[in-house]
Amino acid sequence: PDGDLEFAGRTDHQVKIRGFRIEPAEIENTLLTHPDITQAAVIVHDRQAGTSRLIAYVVGDTAVTPEGLREFVGRRLPEYMVPSGYVVLERLPLTANGKLDRAALPDPDPVAQPDGPRREPGSARERLLGELFARALGVDRVGPDDDFFALGGDSIVSIRLVSLARAAGVVFSVRDVFEQRTVAGLAGIAEESAQPGPDTGDCGVGMVEPTPIMRWFDARGGGVDAFYQAMLLEVPAALGEDRITAAVQALVDHHDALRLSRTPGGADGGSCTLEVGPVGAVPAADLVRRVALQDTDVDEALVRTQAQAAADRLSAERGRLVQVVWFDAGPARPGRLLLLVSHLVVDGVSWRILLPDLVAAWEAAGLDGPPPLDPVGTSLRRWSQLLVAEARRPLRVAEAELWAELLTAADPLLTARRPDPVRDTVGRARELALSLAPEVTTPLLTTVPTAFHAGVDDVLLTALALAVAQWRRGHGRGRHSALLVDVEGHGREEIAGGVDLARTVGWFTSLYPVRIDPGPSVWEEVAEGGPGLGQALKRVKEQLRSLPDRGMGFGLLRHLNPETGQRLARLPVPQLGFNYLGRFPSAGAPLVPGVPGWNVAAEAGLLSGADPATALAHGLEVNSMVRDTPDGPCLEAVWTWAPGLWPEQHVRALAEQWFQAIRGLVRHGDRAGTGGHTPSDFPLAELSQHDIEQLEAAWRIQK
């Protein structure tokens, strides 16, 4: 019976190939959508030297060819999920119980079935860039023609790639990564660099203009010293107090932001002033504490107690923005290291700079040599000056009309009132944490964005807009399908020539309003992954692409230009906040490949704190990230809300509907014929969405 045959094609639940967790059943289902295939089985074929590859065994029309199947699957799945070998059979061999008889499957012909469609690097530069791609993405190997974003890359990972490349003497920009996408493409446009030192004309020491996100925080009230982020690390037993102190000294001397001091504004409510002190101004001996564990173990309670004590020692006014706590477990057990940094000078990208630098500085301290830390390009001080000038540039000022129009359009209330800065504070906020399993998160990061030439945030925001629209309908808040939401970005956009922020530490976050409208929807179709979801995602993608420079201009005009700032300050603030932080390693993952002993600790993840009196920026916010666990990537989402505005059951309902919409988009992406381009993919051509779909339809017919 058909059911037995389908079951016979099922193989391992999950395997690991090229550094990715893969479900063969997902590949089998894709093969079964081919009109000439009736059965399919995908297995892992082990070769010599401990390497493995995916082999597809199919039953179908004799006209099918391995080349045709490879192309068919390649158009629907990320490259790392495309089998490298294809064997066409008259039937799948079965055991007496109707299961797939693996022992009876023929070995793939090593000549007729080459190891995948990858070609070898054609030059030394392609070989180098392939290694750098793999390091940035955390995979085993990347071929010259593999798509960076199909392998799970995003805007934050692209910054890491740019930093790694410049350290290796190859120069290209984040914009180049988005445009070229492959090793081969970047190899053709990258420039060689002779490892220059920092620009002597860009002195990072001196007065610093508060950035838009800093001014935004000041307006919320609350103390800055309680505002921090922290990471807990597993460290070698022989860490050594003197050695880690030397490493921390190298870190604060190398990164200007860690020597920042902040003087509060006067009684007249004036803005605070910031200043970066000279190298050596912050002695690391004042920043490092040792906690002897004796025979006890580290647990979450101890970590949080020490984190609070470390936070109490922070003082932006005295330039003490870093605290390091070493939990010394003795000479035989790995210890723990708590690195706590004021949020005033750190963000998601900065952590990806600081942690590897700390490891490198510690290793150098053990050899009594200078720390081999890669140079910093544009300083925080220089960047803040550029932002002030950009906020007054006429073309940027003209952008204020766009933001005013966006904020004044209809946005019916989701709650009975808007947030009150006195009643709705951080100290009274509630939280709800949920996660999505790897079988949903993996295609969310790869298959779906690749099919639509989009980013992960495009998919997440489409799902959020669909979920909020459904929540409105279910809670008597109307049938409004548009969503006004504040979106956080990494804020390191290339708005000026010659700027290099790939290795600059600081709080660069951008915050800007977005109005997205996926159009009317039927919830049953959304949950099931119906055909309308493709058009919804394309609409949202284009709406997000219509904002210049990924929204950087809003913060500039709202906080750094007095004239436009007054006008924008009078307009409503979005009711919801959204932030996607990118990918983070799970407990036990090494901080730096090839360096043993330094791992992400299991007792606590990314910690944070804020003054309880700080006003909530929004009545409801969702902060999400992808955690790379041993079983595969998991999307983690933390919903934070003002209980005076949102009942918990309403938040939970919306959170679960968001996950339902994400699953629906993943189901939609699994269907044959989904995906496609949108006008922003062809900026030099005046094509409408209808034009593009007509061209794509004609192309399919020719194929």
Side-chain angles (χ1 to χ4, degrees):
D2 291 343
D4 289 339
L5 290 177
E6 181 180 357
F7 184 75
R10 297 301 290 253
T11 56
D12 301 302
H13 177 66
Q14 203 174 70
V15 296
K16 189 171 183 180
I17 297 288
R18 303 173 193 163
F20 288 93
R21 296 280 176 175
I22 294 172
E23 292 191 15
E26 185 177 351
I27 308 171
E28 295 163 2
N29 291 336
T30 299
L31 284 164
L32 290 171
T33 64
H34 191 291
D36 297 326
I37 299 299
T38 57
Q39 297 179 47
V42 176
I43 68 167
V44 178
H45 180 73
D46 294 319
R47 300 175 298 180
Q48 294 179 350
T51 59
S52 303
R53 59 175 175 156
L54 292 170
I55 304 298
Y57 294 86
V58 300
V59 176
D61 192 291
T62 56
V64 299
T65 64
E67 293 76 16
L69 291 175
R70 182 177 295 118
E71 182 179 1
F72 178 84
V73 177
R75 293 201 304 265
R76 290 159 176 80
L77 294 176
E79 193 279 335
Y80 65 86
M81 295 181 70
V82 178
S84 60
Y86 298 81
V87 180
V88 182
L89 303 173
E90 292 185 0
R91 62 182 179 84
L92 290 179
L94 304 179
T95 66
N97 296 326
K99 309 294 185 181
L100 179 69
D101 187 354
R102 297 185 179 218
L105 289 170
D107 289 335
D109 184 344
V111 177
Q113 308 294 337
D115 186 16
R118 278 196 184 103
R119 65 174 176 85
E120 291 300 313
S123 66
R125 179 180 287 182
E126 281 193 351
R127 186 173 295 104
L128 171 63
L129 288 178
E131 295 171 356
L132 297 178
F133 266 56
R135 284 181 60 190
L137 291 163
V139 300
D140 295 336
R141 181 185 175 219
V142 176
D145 303 310
D146 294 347
D147 188 298
F148 176 79
F149 297 97
L151 296 175
D154 55 30
S155 60
I156 294 178
V157 180
S158 68
I159 295 173
R160 169 70 172 155
L161 175 62
V162 169
S163 176
L164 289 171
R166 294 194 180 188
V170 182
V171 178
F172 52 82
S173 67
V174 171
R175 190 185 303 274
D176 293 330
V177 178
F178 275 81
E179 292 177 352
Q180 301 298 326
R181 306 177 73 92
T182 66
V183 166
L186 285 171
I189 59 96
E191 299 177 356
E192 298 292 337
S193 170
Q195 192 75 313
D199 181 0
T200 55
D202 178 13
C203 178
V205 176
M207 303 303 295
V208 175
E209 294 285 346
T211 61
I213 197 65
M214 294 175 183
R215 293 183 184 275
W216 167 83
F217 176 79
D218 284 344
R220 294 171 56 195
V224 71
D225 288 339
F227 193 39
Y228 69 86
Q229 289 186 336
M231 286 285 290
L232 185 69
L233 313 174
E234 179 183 292
V235 294
L239 188 74
E241 188 170 2
D242 291 342
R243 189 171 171 184
I244 190 61
T245 301
V248 172
Q249 187 69 64
L251 205 66
V252 297
D253 286 347
H254 193 71
H255 293 292
D256 299 339
L258 304 184
R259 304 191 305 277
L260 195 73
S261 62
R262 177 183 183 274
T263 302
D268 59 353
S271 176
C272 66
T273 57
L274 306 174
E275 184 175 2
V276 170
V279 172
V282 178
D286 294 342
L287 311 180
V288 178
R289 296 286 190 279
R290 173 179 170 270
V291 175
L293 293 180
Q294 305 299 338
D295 295 328
T296 61
D297 292 324
V298 172
D299 57 23
E300 186 174 351
L302 176 61
V303 171
R304 292 193 177 277
T305 297
Q306 288 296 328
Q308 184 58 58
D312 291 342
R313 294 193 293 270
L314 293 178
S315 173
E317 194 165 353
R318 291 192 292 165
R320 187 179 294 174
L321 301 181
V322 179
Q323 286 293 300
V324 178
V325 181
W326 174 33
F327 298 91
D328 183 2
R333 293 189 299 159
R336 299 293 185 269
L337 192 73
L338 178 69
L339 181 61
L340 186 144
V341 186
S342 169
H343 201 345
L344 186 68
V345 295
V346 76
D347 56 16
V349 176
S350 297
W351 281 109
R352 292 166 168 87
I353 301 168
L354 287 175
L355 296 179
D357 277 7
L358 178 62
V359 176
W362 178 81
E363 287 197 309
L367 300 173
D368 295 324
L373 303 184
D374 296 328
V376 175
T378 303
S379 70
L380 174 63
R381 180 171 181 263
R382 176 59 178 153
W383 175 246
S384 70
Q385 294 169 343
L386 290 171
L387 292 183
V388 171
E390 179 68 17
R392 291 165 171 78
R393 194 166 62 91
L395 284 178
R396 187 65 71 183
V397 172
E399 197 181 292
E401 293 298 327
L402 179 153
W403 300 111
E405 181 180 349
L406 187 149
L407 288 171
T408 52
D411 183 35
L413 282 176
L414 294 165
T415 54
R417 60 173 175 83
R418 290 190 175 273
D420 183 318
V422 176
R423 287 186 288 174
D424 303 316
T425 60
V426 169
R428 297 178 180 178
R430 301 283 303 280
E431 286 190 352
L432 171 67
L434 298 173
S435 63
L436 272 179
E439 56 264 29
V440 179
T441 304
T442 298
L444 166 67
L445 298 175
T446 55
T447 311
V448 181
T450 301
F452 288 90
H453 308 276
V456 177
D457 50 349
D458 298 326
V459 184
L460 295 175
L461 283 167
T462 300
L464 184 62
L466 292 166
V468 172
Q470 172 64 10
W471 188 92
R472 283 186 184 275
R473 292 191 292 268
H475 291 81
R477 294 290 173 177
R479 305 188 65 82
H480 197 67
S481 61
L483 172 66
L484 180 64
V485 56
D486 262 343
V487 174
E488 287 193 34
H490 57 67
R492 296 169 189 248
E493 307 300 339
E494 296 169 359
I495 61 173
V499 171
D500 175 13
L501 298 173
R503 280 194 41 78
T504 309
V505 169
W507 190 18
F508 288 83
T509 302
S510 58
L511 182 68
Y512 55 98
V514 166
R515 182 175 295 277
I516 50 178
D517 188 351
S521 61
V522 176
W523 187 248
E524 289 73 19
E525 182 181 4
V526 171
E528 294 171 4
L533 282 184
Q535 291 301 319
L537 177 51
K538 289 177 180 178
R539 278 193 289 267
V540 170
K541 172 188 167 184
E542 288 302 286
Q543 290 159 7
L544 293 170
R545 297 298 186 277
S546 69
L547 299 177
D549 297 320
R550 297 179 182 265
M552 278 287 293
F554 178 78
L556 299 177
L557 298 172
R558 170 65 181 84
H559 298 287
L560 299 185
N561 186 314
E563 295 181 4
T564 57
Q566 289 181 5
R567 179 186 178 190
L568 294 174
R570 292 193 293 266
L571 301 179
V573 174
Q575 302 174 70
L576 270 62
F578 169 86
N579 185 18
Y580 172 61
L581 291 164
R583 302 179 72 157
F584 284 82
S586 63
L591 291 183
V592 180
V595 179
W598 289 79
N599 305 309
V600 177
E603 292 79 11
L606 181 65
L607 303 171
S608 62
D611 185 341
T614 305
L616 289 173
H618 308 93
L620 178 64
E621 293 183 348
V622 55
N623 287 273
S624 58
M625 70 170 66
V626 170
R627 186 79 66 181
D628 288 314
T629 73
D631 294 327
C634 291
L635 178 70
E636 299 179 353
V638 177
W639 294 78
T640 305
W641 71 92
L645 295 176
W646 287 84
E648 181 175 352
Q649 62 268 30
H650 288 191
V651 176
R652 185 174 292 275
L654 178 56
E656 291 174 350
Q657 285 166 341
W658 186 45
F659 275 5
Q660 278 185 277
I662 292 173
R663 293 188 187 96
L665 284 160
V666 168
R667 292 190 184 100
H668 178 78
D670 285 340
R671 298 186 174 185
T674 59
H677 293 84
T678 59
S680 64
D681 297 324
F682 309 102
L684 301 181
E686 295 183 1
L687 294 173
S688 68
Q689 187 63 51
H690 177 73
D691 294 334
I692 292 172
E693 290 172 358
Q694 290 286 91
L695 290 169
E696 289 174 334
W699 180 83
R700 290 191 199 98
I701 293 173
Q702 291 179 353
K703 295 296 285 185

